[in-house]
């Protein structure tokens, strides 16, 4: 404990008492900048702006942005749409959306990347070939990609295992020879010999 200072648990910092009262405490208040109404929390303030003044606060910014409630911005509908797509002209880039999840938005690119990595799929063959950050909505979409652009094993057991695909027909043939000999014989890769 520092003598002459007060500790604020929300800010996790010590402040001189007069400075805290005059400068910091007002930042924690959820006060309407239009009619000066004081609300209990940011959610209530957001509802107040929307219901009473037809003004919007960004839920993603409220949840993720490191700022005091009094520093949160308010927007008209048109300004809000620009905010979502482009940011506020202050270095922010807007809130990117997932093309697969009904345009669900994320606070930033990192949030979107974490979502894509966790909830969607990439092709390990394309990744290996240097094609990065191409995502597929679900495994069915990825499987269509395997069949269209690569060489996927269509054996029932391999289909159940998933992710059994190869970058060349020769690799698929080698796989079939090792694991599905009857399939490999029926679909053998023609080998051409040069005559001397």
């Amino acid at each position: 404990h520092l003598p002459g200072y007060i500790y604020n648990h929300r800010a996790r910092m010590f402040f001189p008492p007069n400075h805290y009262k005059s400068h910091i405490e007002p930042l924690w208040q959820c006060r309407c900048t239009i009619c000066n109404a004081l609300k209990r929390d940011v959610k209530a303030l957001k509802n107040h702006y929307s219901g009473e003044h037809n003004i919007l606060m960004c839920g993603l910014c409220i949840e993720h942005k490191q700022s005091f409630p009094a520093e949160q911005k308010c927007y008209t509908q048109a300004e809000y749409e620009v905010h979502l797509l482009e940011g506020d002209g202050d270095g922010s880039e807007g809130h990117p959306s997932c093309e697969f999840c009904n345009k669900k938005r994320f606070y930033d690119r990192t949030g979107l990347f974490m979502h894509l990595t966790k909830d969607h799929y990439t092709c390990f063959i394309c990744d290996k070939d240097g094609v990065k950050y191409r995502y597929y909505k679900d495994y069915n979409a990825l499987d269509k990609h395997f069949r269209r652009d690569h060489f996927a094993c269509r054996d029932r057991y391999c289909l159940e295992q998933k992710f059994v695909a190869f970058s060349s027909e020769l690799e698929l043939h080698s796989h079939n020879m090792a694991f599905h000999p009857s399939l490999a014989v029926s679909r053998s890769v023609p080998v051409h010999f040069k005559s001397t």
Side-chain angles (χ1 to χ4, degrees):
H1 188 78
L2 296 172
Y5 287 79
I6 61 168
Y7 181 74
N8 180 268
H9 292 281
R10 279 198 288 188
R12 295 186 218 154
M13 294 175 70
F14 287 94
F15 297 97
N18 292 340
H19 178 77
Y20 182 81
K21 277 282 187 207
S22 62
H23 292 87
I24 305 303
E25 201 169 80
L27 294 173
W28 286 110
Q29 292 179 347
C30 297
R31 187 175 298 279
C32 176
T33 57
I34 298 169
C35 69
N36 214 28
L38 186 62
K39 298 298 173 184
R40 70 182 177 283
D41 58 25
V42 179
K43 183 179 177 185
L45 182 62
K46 180 182 178 196
N47 291 337
H48 168 79
Y49 273 123
S50 177
E52 297 295 319
H53 305 296
N54 201 27
I55 298 288
L56 304 170
M57 291 178 79
C58 178
L60 287 167
C61 288
I62 290 169
E63 186 178 346
H64 298 283
K65 192 173 185 180
Q66 299 293 315
S67 61
F68 290 103
E71 296 174 321
Q72 293 286 347
K73 293 185 178 181
C74 298
Y75 307 93
T76 64
Q77 183 64 45
E79 291 168 340
Y80 182 64
E81 289 171 18
V82 170
H83 166 76
L84 290 176
L85 294 172
E86 302 171 14
D88 296 331
D90 58 0
S92 59
E93 298 178 340
H95 301 302
S97 64
C98 175
E99 63 183 288
F100 306 120
C101 297
N102 295 322
K103 301 294 182 189
K104 178 181 177 182
R105 292 196 173 274
F106 295 85
Y107 180 66
D108 57 14
R109 288 185 198 173
T110 301
L112 174 60
F113 176 74
M114 289 170 57
H115 163 74
L116 289 169
T117 303
K118 178 179 169 278
D119 295 332
H120 300 292
Y121 291 85
T122 59
C123 172
F124 67 94
I125 297 170
C126 290
D127 283 349
K128 187 177 68 176
D129 291 342
V131 178
K132 303 285 186 193
Y133 313 118
R134 182 181 295 158
Y135 293 91
Y136 299 89
K137 179 178 182 174
D138 52 27
Y139 185 78
N140 287 337
L142 178 61
D143 187 52
K144 285 179 187 170
H145 164 72
F146 284 151
R147 286 184 279 132
R148 184 184 65 240
D149 299 324
H150 302 300
F151 298 88
C153 181
R154 304 320 294 163
D155 177 77
R156 189 171 52 100
Y157 176 77
C158 287
L159 288 171
E160 289 171 5
Q161 295 302 306
K162 298 182 177 179
F163 301 100
V164 183
F166 304 91
S167 57
S168 72
E169 192 172 6
L170 186 59
E171 287 177 276
L172 174 60
H173 182 69
S174 296
H175 163 81
N176 285 337
M177 291 292 287
F179 296 100
H180 320 296
S182 62
L183 190 61
V185 170
S186 66
R187 295 183 187 170
S188 60
V189 176
V191 178
H192 300 285
F193 296 99
K194 281 187 178 179
S195 56
T196 55

